[in-house]
Amino acid sequence: MSARTILITGCSTGIGYDAAHALRRQGWHVFAACRKPEDCARLRAEGFDSPRMDYNDEDSLRDGLAEVLDATGGTLDALFNNGAYAIPGPVEDIPTEALRSIFQSNLIGWHDLTRQVIPVMRAQGQGRIVQCSSVLGLVAMKWRGAYVSTKFALEGLTDALRLEMADTGIKVSLIDPGPIETDFRKNAIKEFERWIDWKNSARADQYSDSLLTQLYEGSSGGPQWPASAVTRKLIRALEDPRPKPRYYVTTPTHAMGIARRILPTRALDWLVSKG
């Protein structure tokens, strides 16, 4: 029996990298996609098939998937959309062009790749699509509006897709991680420096008093979980006979999932503001 096949995006580090190694150990044929050619080369040296796929580059998505399908004979058992970034800062300081850019990377590119994969899965009569969302797709937090908006949109788009795929053999799930040990904050600093003119912001004093420290030094808001915690839920989403619509990862995600269901909006606002 041939190995099951999965395409994972965002495999250079963190969640994608851990998932690629874990699934290969479990016997999957993993296509570990990366955005940068040098990261693809590094993963190829580790024994992976590693197509270059960048959510901001439509041609790379088309060509990368073609590379995958050429290697598998035209089939693909699973897609794990992963890899996103944040632009920290108050909503009023996020330039419109920055919002367009982050939606392309965190949502529209995912939709593009998913649409290309669905006909493949329809033709074979089965498949799994798993989307890596976030606790910030469940509840909003201050200074994270750009990222929050992409994840709220991803949650809604994926819910609609799951309902629409119910009459096919294609199963669709979301994974909602909380604080995970990745390069997320380091990457967010680059986007902050690219887009945010904080010195000319009406909130310049708030940046100086706290926001810059949180961004550049991190916060002591609690523990972080290893990327393997996400991988464990990914394996369940891929292998459960009846996969759940959502898999929560980390205690904060479970807590926020409960809070958003039972608390009035003002009470939830108060709770989130304390975090």
Side-chain angles (χ1 to χ4, degrees):
M1 181 180 295
S2 60
R4 292 170 293 177
T5 56
I6 183 168
L7 170 59
I8 305 174
T9 58
C11 289
S12 60
T13 61
I15 290 169
Y17 186 81
D18 186 89
H21 278 273
L23 286 170
R24 184 170 67 176
R25 288 193 297 270
Q26 293 214 353
W28 287 75
H29 183 174
V30 178
F31 294 86
C34 300
R35 183 170 56 88
K36 297 179 180 179
E38 57 268 31
D39 289 325
C40 291
R42 173 169 52 85
L43 284 171
R44 289 186 191 116
E46 296 178 18
F48 288 100
D49 290 294
S50 185
R52 191 189 80 82
M53 303 183 80
D54 181 347
Y55 287 126
N56 278 298
D57 181 348
E58 294 178 3
D59 290 343
S60 78
L61 298 180
R62 183 192 64 242
D63 295 345
L65 181 59
E67 181 181 328
V68 170
L69 297 178
D70 183 63
T72 66
T75 64
L76 184 66
D77 293 306
L79 168 66
F80 180 37
N81 275 311
N82 167 65
Y85 69 88
I87 305 173
V91 170
E92 64 187 296
D93 290 345
I94 305 293
T96 301
E97 187 56 34
L99 202 62
R100 289 193 184 100
S101 178
I102 196 172
F103 263 83
Q104 178 64 46
S105 294
N106 291 9
L107 181 75
I108 296 170
W110 296 36
H111 175 60
D112 184 0
L113 179 57
T114 301
R115 286 190 67 240
Q116 294 183 52
V117 166
I118 285 173
V120 176
M121 293 182 173
R122 276 187 176 276
Q124 65 198 22
Q126 61 85 28
R128 300 285 172 109
I129 297 170
V130 184
Q131 313 269 53
C132 191
S133 184
S134 170
V135 63
L136 294 180
L138 306 177
V139 296
M141 293 187 72
K142 294 189 298 183
W143 325 126
R144 297 165 175 83
Y147 182 76
V148 164
S149 62
T150 65
K151 290 305 184 182
F152 266 62
L154 178 66
E155 295 271 334
L157 193 72
T158 305
D159 280 345
L161 178 63
R162 186 185 68 253
L163 293 169
E164 292 161 0
M165 292 295 107
D167 62 347
T168 74
I170 303 169
K171 309 297 185 184
V172 182
S173 297
L174 285 151
I175 297 180
D176 290 294
I180 301 292
E181 295 172 349
T182 68
D183 289 336
F184 192 79
R185 183 169 61 86
K186 182 174 71 175
N187 294 330
I189 290 171
K190 297 176 184 176
E191 298 299 323
F192 175 81
E193 293 175 345
R194 176 185 179 190
W195 293 109
I196 306 301
D197 182 16
W198 71 268
K199 292 181 181 178
N200 292 311
S201 169
R203 299 182 180 272
D205 289 344
Q206 288 176 290
Y207 282 101
S208 297
D209 290 344
S210 64
L211 296 183
L212 294 177
T213 299
Q214 291 178 30
L215 178 60
Y216 284 92
E217 299 180 15
S219 66
S220 57
Q224 291 188 320
W225 279 253
S228 58
V230 180
T231 299
R232 285 193 292 272
K233 294 299 178 74
L234 171 62
I235 291 170
R236 289 184 57 187
L238 294 172
E239 298 187 349
D240 284 354
R242 251 186 107 201
K244 294 180 180 179
R246 281 174 177 77
Y247 291 87
Y248 290 171
V249 186
T250 77
T251 303
T253 302
H254 284 278
M256 288 298 103
I258 294 170
R260 77 163 187 163
R261 291 196 300 271
I262 67 174
L263 293 179
T265 299
R266 290 189 185 278
L268 183 59
D269 286 352
W270 177 86
L271 178 64
V272 171
S273 68
K274 298 303 179 183

